[in-house]
Amino acid sequence: MDVRLGHGGSMFFVRDALRKLTLLSLLFGMAFRAAALVPENVVVLYNSSDPESEEIAQYYRQARGIPEGNLVGLALSQKPQISRDEYNRTIRDPLRKIYEDRQWWELGKNQSGQTLPFVNRRPVLAIIRGVPLKIGGSPLPADFKSDPDDPISKRNEAAVDSELLLLGGLDAPIQGVAPNFYFEGEKRFEDSKLSFMLLISRIDAATVATCKRMIRDAIQIEKTGLWGRAYIDYSNRHQMGTSWLNSIQNECRAQGFATVADRFNQSFPRNYPLSDAALYYGWYDSSVSGPFLNPQFRLRPGSVAIHIHSYSAAQLRDASRNWSAPLLEKGAAATVGNVNEPFLQLTHRLDILNDRLMRGWTWAEASCAALPVSSWQSVALGDPLYRPFHHLDGSGEEIERDRDFRSLVKLARKNSDPGQRLKAIETLAAKQKSGILSEAAGLEALAQGKRGEAQKWFKAALVEYQSADNQIRQYLHLAAIARHAKQTKNAAGILKSGLSRAQSFPNSAALAEWLQIVEPKPKPKPKATSGS
């Protein structure tokens, strides 16, 4: 992720560009009304030239109960990238006409005399695998004057999805970015009065089977709610991203999610046991790494998993490259990514996204509210109607595997004070003798700076857990405490102890990788050679 705009005075150009673009909101002077987010309000856009695209579109329509009349099939290129002219001719203009012809929009004039939608009966657009992903760059106008200190103003390549956000609005200049009027929105979209906008998410992945699984998981998990652990991989790349992750960690803890936070400069090691991962936020490896290289690893069904990287969604067909496609292939139901370099400030604000999801918002609302700009590089991937956390109040179908995780959320809702919350978790963990609860007590104690208590609870979880993966993670927790305290020999001893017990299990590779960090093996000396 290029963060050059985050340093010194050059950040002025981004702020100034956004300020000027935001002034365009004054042109939308009507009292806009928008429809509620229900299946009847979802348009499903697919590529009629691609049989697999239509197959997924029909699968999604039937699974969600979307009216058949909401399907839109356009004859499109089967290449992932198209030109600006082709985008206008084959996607933008036909889609606008369909909205008008099918009376999904009611048009009127605003105070400035422009014709715009003031009622939008189809505010959600689900883009299906097969629709082109990217718009390539085009030559700049002859009279365009580029500012050498402003690297975004002369760029005009973009994600198709990001261009469509303002389908009903003014045609902004294609150079640089356009505003997202829903950014940092506090109201649900139906109350936002932004009828010229669309909420967009793409159902796309490496295979048709994965796309269908994403749809099934979203619908199934909405019945029970998404429960499990949150895993946050800081990697300490840039203060802005770190602040987002800090906010996410605090929010997850406050909501009652046992939260594993790795604050070392290295990413999670290979085969780190991300057991019961409902949420994953990390950065900044260039391509899929660490736990996700384990062929057997799967995220929890319905999980939200995101790795910050400039080109995380540069392609979606190879599940071994970049990040978005691999995360979906490993079981995630939703993620966000970037098709080109977006600059950190102009990509999804993950803290806002996580916050809105925790409020029970749909995936399309949360991901859009987290995006500072449109006509840029970001995409959201997943069922737009998916609401992973609308059962945090304790509602929904209860199943056995969620029991302890539900208990943690229930305790958090009763104990907003961190100290009281920790006591409540410890009391329940001592009573239940549950590895999940004891580990949660250790994680909460550690987050509150109580390392001694954390060690006690991780050791308890080590005994209570039956699976090797969960036991390996306790060794890693204990070793992490020693590493942060600069107790290198102690950390090495803990890792060696774990290896002696679990070296036959694949996830012991995480212990071995950390051991190499804290106690690196000396490089072999080069063999002496005889002179000629």
Side-chain angles (χ1 to χ4, degrees):
M1 188 73 64
D2 196 322
V3 292
R4 287 177 294 164
L5 294 184
H7 301 288
S10 59
M11 184 60 190
F12 165 80
F13 293 102
V14 174
R15 290 174 179 159
D16 188 54
L18 292 177
R19 180 185 63 81
K20 291 177 181 177
L21 286 167
T22 303
L23 291 176
L24 288 174
S25 64
L26 297 175
L27 298 176
F28 299 98
M30 296 179 180
F32 290 109
R33 293 186 289 113
L37 302 187
V38 294
E40 288 77 9
N41 305 129
V42 179
V43 173
V44 183
L45 175 64
Y46 69 93
N47 185 349
S48 61
S49 300
D50 181 351
E52 290 184 343
S53 185
E54 184 173 6
E55 177 186 347
I56 299 168
Q58 288 287 2
Y59 185 89
Y60 179 58
R61 182 194 71 76
Q62 293 171 12
R64 276 293 184 189
I66 297 169
E68 190 166 7
N70 288 13
L71 286 178
V72 174
L74 299 177
L76 305 173
S77 170
Q78 296 192 45
K79 295 179 180 179
Q81 180 169 302
I82 56 177
S83 68
R84 174 70 57 172
D85 177 68
E86 187 172 3
Y87 163 77
N88 292 341
R89 287 187 296 102
T90 65
I91 299 179
R92 186 197 66 182
D93 295 347
L95 194 55
R96 281 179 173 171
K97 189 174 187 305
I98 288 170
Y99 262 78
E100 293 176 21
D101 290 347
R102 299 188 187 181
Q103 298 182 332
W104 292 342
W105 279 337
E106 286 186 23
L107 302 177
K109 293 185 182 296
N110 69 358
Q111 294 173 355
S112 299
Q114 284 132 339
T115 300
L116 299 166
F118 66 95
V119 171
N120 186 353
R121 299 184 179 90
R122 303 293 186 273
V124 182
L125 182 64
I127 299 178
I128 302 299
R129 182 184 192 268
V131 174
L133 177 67
K134 298 186 280 188
I135 302 169
S138 55
L140 297 170
D143 59 350
F144 181 79
K145 295 181 180 179
S146 176
D147 187 330
D149 293 322
D150 183 359
I152 67 169
S153 64
K154 60 186 177 183
R155 290 176 53 188
N156 55 35
E157 79 280 12
V160 167
D161 308 36
S162 186
E163 286 290 348
L164 288 172
L165 282 172
L166 292 179
L167 181 69
L170 296 174
D171 290 330
I174 64 171
Q175 278 73 242
V177 298
N180 173 11
F181 298 96
Y182 195 51
F183 177 53
E184 297 183 304
E186 291 288 342
K187 296 180 179 179
R188 298 296 296 272
F189 193 75
E190 58 264 33
D191 299 320
S192 66
K193 300 180 180 180
L194 295 172
S195 295
F196 54 88
M197 283 188 63
L198 295 179
L199 291 176
I200 295 175
S201 189
R202 175 179 286 258
I203 300 174
D204 201 340
T207 67
V208 172
T210 298
C211 292
K212 292 181 177 180
R213 192 267 308 155
M214 291 163 61
I215 295 166
R216 289 195 305 272
D217 283 356
I219 294 171
Q220 180 59 39
I221 294 303
E222 281 183 358
K223 298 175 183 177
T224 61
L226 180 59
W227 312 91
R229 289 187 198 84
Y231 291 87
I232 303 174
D233 194 356
Y234 279 83
S235 298
N236 306 315
R237 304 292 177 170
H238 189 269
Q239 183 54 44
M240 182 182 296
T242 297
S243 69
W244 298 351
L245 298 181
N246 280 334
S247 295
I248 291 170
Q249 182 183 358
N250 292 335
E251 175 72 13
C252 289
R253 288 175 50 218
Q255 292 290 349
F257 281 76
T259 304
V260 179
D262 186 327
R263 290 183 176 270
F264 296 110
N265 291 338
Q266 306 87 4
S267 299
F268 277 126
R270 187 182 182 94
N271 284 27
Y272 187 102
L274 298 184
S275 308
D276 291 310
L279 290 166
Y280 163 81
Y281 295 99
W283 73 330
Y284 172 77
D285 292 341
S286 60
S287 196
V288 61
S289 63
F292 304 98
L293 296 177
N294 182 350
Q296 282 74 47
F297 171 69
R298 289 295 181 273
L299 294 154
R300 263 208 166 197
S303 60
V304 176
I306 300 169
H307 192 95
I308 304 172
H309 189 265
S310 299
Y311 301 93
S312 50
Q315 61 81 37
L316 298 174
R317 292 295 172 269
D318 186 344
S320 66
R321 293 194 298 115
N322 306 106
W323 276 97
S324 296
L327 289 173
L328 294 171
E329 204 64 22
K330 287 298 181 180
T335 189
V336 298
N338 309 291
V339 301
N340 292 298
E341 171 58 59
F343 298 103
L344 186 59
Q345 298 89 334
L346 304 181
T347 190
H348 285 92
R349 279 275 304 274
L350 301 187
D351 54 339
I352 295 175
L353 187 153
N354 188 75
D355 173 81
R356 301 307 189 269
L357 286 178
M358 291 286 183
R359 296 187 194 186
W361 289 23
T362 64
W363 172 248
E365 288 173 299
S367 58
C368 187
L371 192 59
V373 295
S374 64
S375 186
W376 198 231
Q377 314 304 331
S378 296
V379 295
L381 296 152
D383 177 354
L385 294 181
Y386 182 35
R387 296 176 64 196
F389 295 122
H390 72 122
H391 290 308
L392 290 185
D393 60 356
S395 59
E397 297 177 12
E398 297 187 25
I399 56 178
E400 179 61 26
R401 73 171 186 177
D402 294 336
R403 184 193 62 189
D404 287 345
F405 295 117
R406 276 180 170 268
S407 295
L408 290 169
V409 171
K410 185 177 181 179
L411 289 178
R413 295 178 75 87
K414 290 183 177 180
N415 299 277
S416 58
D417 176 74
Q420 292 299 319
R421 184 169 66 240
L422 175 58
K423 288 181 181 179
I425 297 171
E426 290 178 326
T427 299
L428 186 61
K431 179 181 178 181
Q432 298 290 350
K433 305 295 182 184
S434 157
I436 290 174
L437 296 175
S438 292
E439 182 180 7
L443 292 169
E444 183 59 31
L446 187 61
Q448 295 185 27
K450 301 176 180 179
R451 294 183 176 180
E453 284 190 51
Q455 289 171 318
K456 178 189 75 173
W457 287 109
F458 292 144
K459 289 176 181 177
L462 186 58
V463 174
E464 292 159 354
Y465 274 128
Q466 299 300 309
S467 74
D469 287 354
N470 287 322
Q471 292 172 346
I472 288 169
R473 194 171 55 259
Q474 308 317 301
Y475 282 113
L476 290 164
H477 292 331
L478 293 166
I481 293 174
R483 287 181 66 186
H484 282 299
K486 308 298 183 184
Q487 299 171 355
T488 303
K489 289 185 178 180
N490 187 20
I494 293 168
L495 294 168
K496 288 176 182 177
S497 178
L499 281 168
S500 70
R501 291 185 57 182
Q503 61 184 349
S504 62
F505 294 92
N507 284 350
S508 65
L511 297 168
E513 187 171 316
W514 268 23
L515 182 59
Q516 177 60 23
I517 292 172
V518 301
E519 192 178 81
K521 295 179 180 178
K523 294 181 180 179
K525 295 180 180 179
K527 295 181 179 180
T529 56
S530 58
S532 54

